[in-house]
Amino acid sequence: MDALDYSHFLAETCRRDPEWASALRAGRVDVTPSAEAVRADWNCLCDITETAMFDRAARQLRMRQQAGVYWRLLQGLEPDTATMATMTVMAEASLEASLTHHFRSQVALWGAPSDPRIAIIGMGKLGGRELNVSSDIDIFCVYGSDGDTQGPRVRDNADFFTRVIQGMAKSLDQQTADGFVFRVDQRLRPWGSAGRLVLPVSAVTAYYEQHGREWERFALVKARTVAGDLSLGESLLAELTPFMYRKYLDFGVFESIRDLKQKIAAEVRRQGKTDNVKLGEGGIREAEFIVQALQLLRGGQLPDLRTPSMLAAIDALIRHELMPASVARQLRADYGWLRHVEHVIQAESDQQTQAVPAEPERRLVLAQMLGFSEVEAFETTLQQTMQRIRHEFTQFLGEPETSPTASNPISEAVIQRLEAYLLEPQCERLEAVARSRLVRVIGLLGPLLSRYEAPCTDRMLAFLTTCLRRSAYLALLAEEPTVLQRMVDLIAQSPWIAKRLTEMPILLDELLGLRVDQVLLDRQALGRELQSRLARLDPDDAEALIETLVQFARGQAFRVAVFEVTEDIPLMRVSDQLTWIAEAVIAEVLAFAYRDVEAKHGRPVGAEQDSGIAVLGYGKLGGIEMSYGSDLDLVFVHAIDAQAETSGASPIEGGVFVQRVVRRVIALLETQTRFGKLFEIDIRLRPSGRSGLMVIGLDAFAKYLDEEAWTWELQAFVRARPVAGDAALSDQLVALRRSVLVTPRPLAQLRDEVVAMREKMRTHLATPTGSDAVNLKHDAGGIVDIEFMVQYQILAHASQYPELATYTDNIRQLEGLVTTGCVQEADARLLSDAYVRYRRSQHHALLAEQTARQDHSFAVERAQVQALWATWMINH
């Protein structure tokens, strides 16, 4: 079907405007005009001084441009995205031209205002650059500040700008013999229809701070400055960002959406709009609600969700895996098709409607215009499309399903405890919304908590008490019963997890759809994730840096713990993840500290290509065996000229430079935040221990290891590896470690010194004689015995088998000792199995917040390890 046969508006335009009809026949309307060309046409109107002439010229220009849009749309000459972009530019340009015209008119009467800045904020489809072909333009207007005009006839700025906006709106939306330009809707301004047409920026920010309502957050998601002083509008929207996007998860948006949807549904039923592609069930509005809900929910943490564009927001949701990619793409396709149907409906008569025609003849014509030969095929496609959107809407935003445990019996003790909690003062003082959320969560908790002992209830209520200050978390639990059940199960098994959640309720988000594959990230992926978070910060803000690092480190460790408790991640992978988290944090802290000192004093000599500082990890960090809450054993090494001065305006010696960097690193890592410290740092393993320099030059380090290091220091060096800093220096440290380990040593002396150090440690750290408890780390046959035996074997045999100097972790070192024939496979397997079992037990004890002293369930393993110790180290 031809566009002229379908669209009454196009046929009438051809009749009334022969010049446009001629352009149509010549093919000059077929090409989508550039944004610059559209704006240029509107800019030409700004020189018209007579308002009546301006209004008529604006309507004639709009009719010609609008006819071109409809022609290209109906003939399939451009995609809907191009159609919406053109409509958006037309709206922006017409607003700018009308604003300019009426501003000049008022200046001619009253003089210029003391602060001439005025901005128009576009909302809805205009803000999203996705304007319909026949749509209202939703706006609200702001001016810079109060004052008076400068002319001989004085008006205050408020009155001046009100007259400007009244004239601007009338020039655009008044229906005349020439038609209209755009219907202007200003009801989304502060205080709505009861409020002033234009307000100073200070009054707008005060309104949203004091009186902003939930539905206004949804409206502002699509806010964008579209005309006037763009910097004024953008600065205002930046100030309103905390109102729109909460720093923490805000599942209260679901309640707001249901509220809005119920009102719209009632209006649809009242006006009989059930066959409406926008407002009907499964229509455009529901697709928008899904996306906007996720934007408001997560936009506080993910800045690229803060976009007024629906399509850009969907792309961001896919990137962040907040919606399955297949679902998101289908939603985008269905949304796009409904927008196309909406456009074609509106193109018939240039009417703002989204209703499918009821008359059979018009319905058939619409179907044919959309490419369907029969009405039934169109209706089937429409129904299937809206059903898919409706399904996603009810799945995501519908009422939560009944908890599968709702039918479980509830213990009387739990009922009494929960009822008593609701009567506590802090619960009774809650506002109505927060109180209703709490009551709903308490109702869901009864059957869940009844499955566990009383301490689980205590932990859960401690967490809820934390949430009372930020009831969005209560909304999350009320909206997501599966998350609530998962949380109860986890805190019943692990007080450590319960404590982390209570300290940082934001971790609750990690329980929402978290999968094992999202937890098992390699070192590079963790680094990229951390860098993406830090990229949003002021690069000089140390406080924000540390808080972000703490949230990252604790959040990632929490993820790992969730799946370790459920035994979905093996011990070795747990240690890998915890080690790589620490490495990523150390790397960023070192980089920040270095930049901080360099900014004050310039770059040191010897660091032209890289930083010239590297960090060696010892112990659990070096051995890739980190646990929850492990200390970081660090040694700092540099390759900088210690005597030469730095290159800055305030130079210092290179030695002083590296000392300041390292002190800054340690201070940052041990900074106390509201979420605790990043890590406890131990630098006693540096050369000469507490009396030594905090950072040592590479040559001095090599000399110390060669000439002065004690045997226990060489043992520690067996587990050392570079974890951050200068890449070339790190390579040199790897080579140095290899060189030190392959140095031949008198075996008898080595063995005696290892045994002597072990006996000294037992004296100070092992369980006292006569105690029934067992310390799996320090007692005979425990973890330290295994580590000492492995270290001894590496130091004893690496000179003959240099490949033994490759790895730093006990398990692979034992494998290497078997491969080289230095130890028997059965002995190595015995030690490996015992070592893994001991460490797994330690992890479980830590997550259960039990003491490190265990019962006698490892008696067999301990006896076997002690026997091997005697064979290798005593009776050899």
Side-chain angles (χ1 to χ4, degrees):
M1 176 176 289
D2 186 85
L4 291 172
D5 295 328
Y6 173 77
S7 174
H8 307 311
F9 176 83
L10 283 177
E12 181 65 12
T13 302
C14 284
R15 186 187 68 79
R16 295 178 59 178
D17 192 341
E19 184 179 338
W20 186 85
S22 175
L24 177 65
R25 288 190 295 272
R28 295 196 299 275
V29 182
D30 292 354
V31 179
T32 304
S34 66
E36 292 74 18
V38 173
R39 294 185 191 280
D41 287 342
W42 285 96
N43 287 341
C44 292
L45 305 187
C46 292
D47 294 330
I48 300 174
T49 56
E50 174 64 40
T51 297
M53 291 179 61
F54 174 87
D55 290 354
R56 184 174 188 190
R59 281 154 179 75
Q60 291 172 345
L61 175 56
R62 183 263 179 183
M63 290 298 177
R64 289 194 298 273
Q65 290 185 343
Q66 188 77 17
V69 167
Y70 283 143
W71 173 259
R72 291 186 296 274
L73 167 72
L74 296 175
Q75 291 296 103
L77 299 175
E78 67 182 16
D80 282 88
T81 50
T83 298
M84 293 186 286
T86 300
M87 290 302 306
T88 300
V89 173
M90 285 170 55
E92 292 172 349
S94 64
L95 283 165
E96 190 68 57
S98 186
L99 177 66
T100 300
H101 170 81
H102 287 282
F103 186 90
R104 290 173 179 174
S105 297
Q106 292 302 314
V107 168
L109 291 173
W110 315 108
S114 56
D115 183 348
R117 296 174 300 156
I118 183 170
I120 300 175
I121 311 298
M123 313 281 275
K125 299 293 194 306
L126 173 59
R129 294 188 173 90
E130 296 159 349
L131 201 63
N132 293 339
V133 291
S134 182
S135 176
D136 289 357
I137 50 177
D138 296 300
I139 62 171
F140 75 85
C141 307
V142 297
Y143 63 91
S145 58
D146 286 320
D148 296 313
T149 61
Q150 309 301 308
R153 301 166 63 194
V154 175
R155 291 279 179 183
D156 62 50
N157 288 356
D159 183 59
F160 176 92
F161 286 118
T162 298
R163 291 168 181 260
V164 170
I165 297 305
Q166 287 173 331
M168 178 197 75
K170 186 177 180 182
S171 283
L172 295 180
D173 70 4
Q174 186 176 47
Q175 185 75 39
T176 71
D178 296 301
F180 68 98
V181 181
F182 281 99
R183 291 172 288 269
V184 179
D185 190 337
Q186 300 187 71
R187 290 175 296 175
L188 292 179
R189 67 186 184 270
W191 303 114
S193 300
R196 286 162 48 188
L197 275 180
V198 58
L199 290 166
V201 166
S202 59
V204 174
T205 55
Y207 168 82
Y208 285 110
E209 285 176 6
Q210 299 170 27
H211 307 287
R213 291 158 289 181
E214 284 296 308
W215 70 263
E216 289 176 300
R217 293 177 60 202
F218 281 90
L220 287 173
V221 164
K222 302 189 80 65
R224 180 176 62 88
T225 310
V226 296
D229 190 311
L230 300 184
S231 62
L232 176 67
E234 292 310 305
S235 65
L236 168 63
L237 292 178
E239 284 191 62
L240 297 182
T241 296
F243 169 70
M244 290 184 275
Y245 299 105
R246 306 292 161 80
K247 185 175 181 181
Y248 301 98
L249 289 177
D250 185 9
F251 274 76
V253 299
F254 287 103
E255 296 170 8
S256 303
I257 289 173
R258 287 199 193 92
D259 243 11
L260 289 171
K261 184 56 186 172
Q262 287 169 3
K263 292 175 183 176
I264 292 170
E267 182 68 10
V268 168
R269 288 191 297 270
R270 188 179 68 81
Q271 298 187 14
K273 293 182 179 180
T274 53
D275 209 359
N276 189 297
V277 299
K278 179 180 181 181
L279 301 178
E281 290 190 351
I284 291 167
R285 182 63 60 84
E286 287 190 355
E288 292 171 339
F289 272 165
I290 295 171
V291 174
Q292 289 172 6
L294 282 168
Q295 286 183 272
L296 288 175
L297 180 67
R298 300 302 303 270
Q301 299 89 40
L302 304 170
D304 57 343
L305 284 175
R306 304 172 196 170
T307 171
S309 166
M310 171 81 169
L311 300 182
I314 291 176
D315 289 340
L317 293 176
I318 293 173
R319 280 196 303 276
H320 292 290
E321 299 182 350
L322 297 178
M323 185 184 290
S326 60
V327 172
R329 294 189 182 103
Q330 184 65 60
L331 182 68
R332 179 166 52 196
D334 290 341
Y335 172 80
W337 188 75
L338 289 183
R339 292 297 306 275
H340 180 68
V341 173
E342 175 187 39
H343 288 163
V344 175
I345 290 171
Q346 294 175 345
E348 182 186 29
S349 300
D350 192 31
Q351 294 295 312
Q352 186 190 19
T353 177
Q354 297 87 22
V356 176
E359 302 86 348
E361 302 82 11
R362 290 180 60 208
R363 211 173 180 99
L364 174 60
V365 170
L366 171 64
Q368 291 173 339
M369 198 69 239
L370 289 165
F372 296 90
S373 58
E374 298 177 351
V375 172
E376 291 75 14
F378 160 65
E379 290 176 341
T380 298
T381 301
L382 180 64
Q383 183 182 42
Q384 291 172 344
T385 301
M386 296 181 76
Q387 282 177 345
R388 282 193 297 267
I389 292 176
R390 181 63 180 175
H391 172 74
E392 293 305 326
F393 181 82
T394 54
Q395 284 287 104
F396 185 66
L397 302 171
E399 289 298 324
E401 298 177 4
T402 303
S403 171
T405 62
S407 60
N408 288 356
I410 306 176
S411 77
E412 188 61 32
V414 168
I415 291 175
Q416 292 177 2
R417 185 73 179 86
L418 295 179
E419 289 178 348
Y421 181 73
L422 283 174
L423 295 175
E424 291 182 8
Q426 73 265 32
C427 297
E428 292 203 311
R429 288 195 298 266
L430 290 173
E431 294 181 357
V433 171
R435 172 80 179 181
S436 68
R437 291 173 178 172
L438 177 62
V439 169
R440 189 173 173 189
V441 172
I442 291 292
L444 293 170
L445 279 173
L448 298 174
L449 294 172
S450 296
R451 296 156 51 198
Y452 297 106
E453 299 296 326
C456 180
T457 300
D458 295 337
R459 294 170 205 149
M460 189 70 215
L461 294 181
F463 172 76
L464 290 182
T465 300
T466 302
C467 292
L468 298 181
R469 299 192 296 271
R470 192 170 293 109
S471 70
Y473 297 118
L474 298 176
L476 187 158
L477 295 173
E479 293 289 341
E480 297 287 344
T482 54
V483 173
L484 182 63
Q485 180 171 335
R486 189 179 189 185
M487 179 181 177
V488 170
D489 292 341
L490 286 168
I491 68 172
Q493 297 177 71
S494 173
W496 185 92
I497 286 179
K499 184 175 288 186
R500 296 292 86 74
L501 280 167
T502 303
E503 290 171 348
M504 293 179 65
I506 194 172
L507 294 175
L508 191 59
D509 178 44
E510 304 293 349
L511 300 182
L512 190 66
L514 184 64
R515 305 188 310 268
V516 173
D517 63 293
Q518 295 172 314
V519 173
L520 296 178
L521 303 177
D522 60 28
R523 171 64 180 84
Q524 290 70 33
L526 280 165
R528 289 192 297 270
E529 167 65 20
L530 179 54
Q531 288 168 2
S532 70
R533 298 191 191 191
L534 297 178
R536 307 164 197 161
L537 308 179
D538 178 346
D540 299 321
D541 190 341
E543 184 177 347
L545 168 85
I546 295 304
E547 183 158 315
T548 301
L549 289 175
V550 170
Q551 290 188 31
F552 170 81
R554 294 212 168 187
Q556 294 294 335
F558 178 83
R559 288 176 156 209
V560 175
V562 165
F563 288 106
E564 183 174 14
V565 165
T566 56
E567 299 185 348
D568 289 310
I569 302 180
L571 173 71
M572 304 306 288
R573 296 301 301 273
V574 169
S575 295
D576 289 348
Q577 294 298 309
L578 297 177
T579 300
W580 293 335
I581 292 165
E583 285 185 29
V585 168
I586 294 167
E588 295 301 332
V589 170
L590 176 61
F592 180 90
Y594 196 96
R595 289 195 306 271
D596 192 31
V597 179
E598 182 184 12
K600 297 181 180 72
H601 304 292
R603 203 163 184 85
V605 175
E608 290 78 13
Q609 303 301 319
D610 207 331
S611 67
I613 300 177
V615 184
L616 273 174
Y618 280 67
K620 298 298 184 188
L621 177 62
I624 319 177
E625 295 171 353
M626 289 280 287
S627 181
Y628 309 97
S630 291
D631 292 353
L632 298 183
D633 294 303
L634 304 178
V635 169
F636 296 86
V637 183
H638 74 86
I640 287 170
D641 187 335
Q643 306 303 317
E645 290 191 335
T646 57
S647 60
S650 178
I652 56 176
E653 291 183 345
V656 177
F657 180 94
V658 294
Q659 291 284 337
R660 290 187 180 180
V661 170
V662 170
R663 289 183 185 280
R664 186 79 166 118
V665 168
I666 295 170
L668 290 169
L669 288 172
E670 293 191 324
T671 297
Q672 187 68 44
T673 75
R674 59 199 174 108
F675 301 124
K677 293 181 181 180
L678 269 169
F679 295 101
E680 293 286 349
I681 307 302
D682 190 339
I683 57 173
R684 290 174 297 175
L685 289 176
R686 68 188 187 272
S688 302
R690 288 190 176 91
S691 63
L693 294 172
M694 295 185 70
V695 55
I696 188 170
L698 176 63
D699 293 340
F701 188 42
K703 180 177 171 52
Y704 177 86
L705 290 169
D706 183 49
E707 299 177 1
E708 300 179 49
W710 296 80
T711 296
W712 67 264
E713 291 178 293
L714 299 178
Q715 287 179 247
F717 202 48
V718 169
R719 290 165 64 79
R721 64 186 180 87
V723 296
D726 189 302
L729 178 55
S730 294
D731 289 341
Q732 291 177 283
L733 286 169
V734 170
L736 174 61
R737 174 179 175 274
R738 185 181 184 85
S739 173
V740 169
L741 297 189
V742 301
T743 301
R745 293 176 176 83
L747 295 188
Q749 179 184 346
L750 174 65
R751 187 167 53 250
D752 290 346
E753 290 176 353
V754 171
V755 170
M757 176 53 69
R758 182 70 191 99
E759 290 301 325
K760 183 177 181 181
M761 289 181 66
R762 282 202 190 113
T763 301
H764 290 88
L765 301 171
T767 304
T769 303
S771 172
D772 289 334
V774 174
N775 187 316
L776 278 183
K777 181 175 181 180
H778 293 291
D779 282 359
I783 287 174
V784 176
D785 276 2
I786 297 174
E787 291 174 341
F788 269 48
M789 282 192 280
V790 174
Q791 291 160 12
Y792 162 73
Q793 294 287 359
I794 296 295
L795 291 172
H797 299 291
S799 59
Q800 186 178 359
Y801 302 103
E803 60 267 34
L804 293 176
T806 303
Y807 297 112
T808 60
D809 61 286
N810 279 289
I811 301 302
R812 286 187 294 182
Q813 287 174 343
L814 279 166
E815 290 171 355
L817 290 167
V818 171
T819 301
T820 56
C822 297
V823 303
Q824 296 296 316
E825 183 175 358
D827 292 342
R829 188 183 306 114
L830 183 157
L831 292 178
S832 294
D833 291 348
Y835 192 70
V836 170
R837 281 202 66 198
Y838 291 165
R839 291 191 56 233
R840 185 183 297 118
S841 176
Q842 284 193 320
H843 275 231
H844 290 172
L846 192 152
L847 292 173
E849 294 203 329
Q850 298 171 351
T851 175
R853 299 182 186 276
Q854 307 290 325
D855 61 18
H856 296 274
S857 59
F858 294 97
V860 173
E861 287 90 340
R862 291 182 58 233
Q864 291 172 332
V865 172
Q866 288 181 72
L868 203 54
W869 174 271
T871 301
W872 285 7
M873 311 302 295
I874 306 298
N875 303 322
H876 188 75

